[in-house]
Amino acid sequence: MSEKPVPEDLPAEDDEARLSRRRVIGTGAALGGAAIGGALAATVGGAARAEHGSATPASDANTKLDTESHLFRLTSAEPNRYDGGTLRGAHEGTFPVLTGQQASVYYVELEIGGLREPHWHPTAWELNYIISGKADWTILGTHPDGTYRNDAFEAKQGDLVFVPQGFFHYFANSSTEQPLQVLVVFNTSAQEPNDDIGIVATVNSLPREILAAAFGVPVAAFGAVPTEAKPVVITKRA
């Protein structure tokens, strides 16, 4: 935006007014630029979410906020059952008020010996709160110096565990006496496990000779590994 020329023959007492007007124009330009930048960021962010099926028009999301229930009885919800535990989820498919909010919550119960399949989330970070029991965790991520950091620890009742977006991780019930209960919060509306890539499907989808070359072992070492690529989600130690 360009200024209109200010006549040079204005009285000296108008200098302050002239400076004030320049400040207003400059502030307006800055605010306009910020608004444009914010709009572009929102558009790009929305496009990225849309690629993963989690973007929702604002009007639809606002309608859900006005018309849908704000209460979801998570622990009473029908669970997905696996050999090793159960998974209950509050996401936009089961709790419509979350539509477009980029949020979902899950209640995980692992039996003794149960474990969450090693996996990573391409589009979300997660926060895990240990309600009861204790869990072995491993979180593997990359770092600026080009190395891997493998963070292995045990989390107990009342602990909070953060897993950054894209970091490879798993957790398992480390107790031999009681089940493990974990509350998991994601910054995505995508339904779990639709937003994770598991280690079983990852390995099974690759040719045996590629795996052998990567691990530096004979192809025969992977002879017993199945080739069907499907999610395991929760399983149990043998």
Side-chain angles (χ1 to χ4, degrees), residues 24-35:
V24 170
I25 292 171
T27 302
L31 290 174

Side-chain angles (χ1 to χ4, degrees), residues 40-64:
L40 286 172
T43 301
V44 172
R49 293 291 187 187
E51 290 179 3
H52 299 280
S54 59
T56 302
S59 59
D60 291 349
N62 291 337
T63 299
K64 298 290 186 183

Side-chain angles (χ1 to χ4, degrees), residues 88-228:
R88 292 174 169 87
H91 48 80
E92 61 185 16
T94 58
F95 194 18
V97 75
L98 291 180
T99 300
Q101 302 303 315
Q102 305 305 333
S104 53
V105 182
Y106 294 84
Y107 177 64
V108 182
E109 288 187 287
L110 295 183
E111 302 167 5
I112 294 173
L115 61 94
R116 177 69 172 90
E117 178 192 10
H119 64 284
W120 68 91
H121 302 280
T123 66
W125 51 251
E126 66 180 78
L127 277 168
N128 302 264
Y129 177 73
I130 310 300
I131 299 172
S132 65
K134 55 184 181 178
D136 288 329
W137 280 84
T138 290
I139 302 173
L140 176 68
T142 57
H143 292 269
D145 62 359
T147 62
Y148 289 124
R149 179 188 175 192
N150 188 31
D151 194 9
F153 53 87
E154 184 179 69
K156 299 180 180 180
Q157 181 177 354
D159 289 344
L160 191 63
V161 178
F162 177 67
V163 181
Q165 178 177 329
F167 276 39
F168 186 70
H169 62 285
Y170 88 96
F171 62 92
N173 186 353
S174 59
S175 173
T176 59
E177 300 176 350
Q178 68 178 108
L180 170 69
Q181 298 176 326
V182 183
L183 187 71
V184 188
V185 179
F186 293 99
N187 66 327
T188 179
S189 297
Q191 180 177 345
E192 176 78 0
N194 296 352
D195 186 52
D196 74 59
I197 300 174
I199 190 172
V200 174
T202 301
V203 172
N204 292 357
S205 65
L206 298 174
R208 308 297 95 169
E209 62 270 18
I210 299 299
L211 289 170
F215 281 92
V217 298
V219 174
F222 293 93
V225 177
T227 57
E228 184 180 7

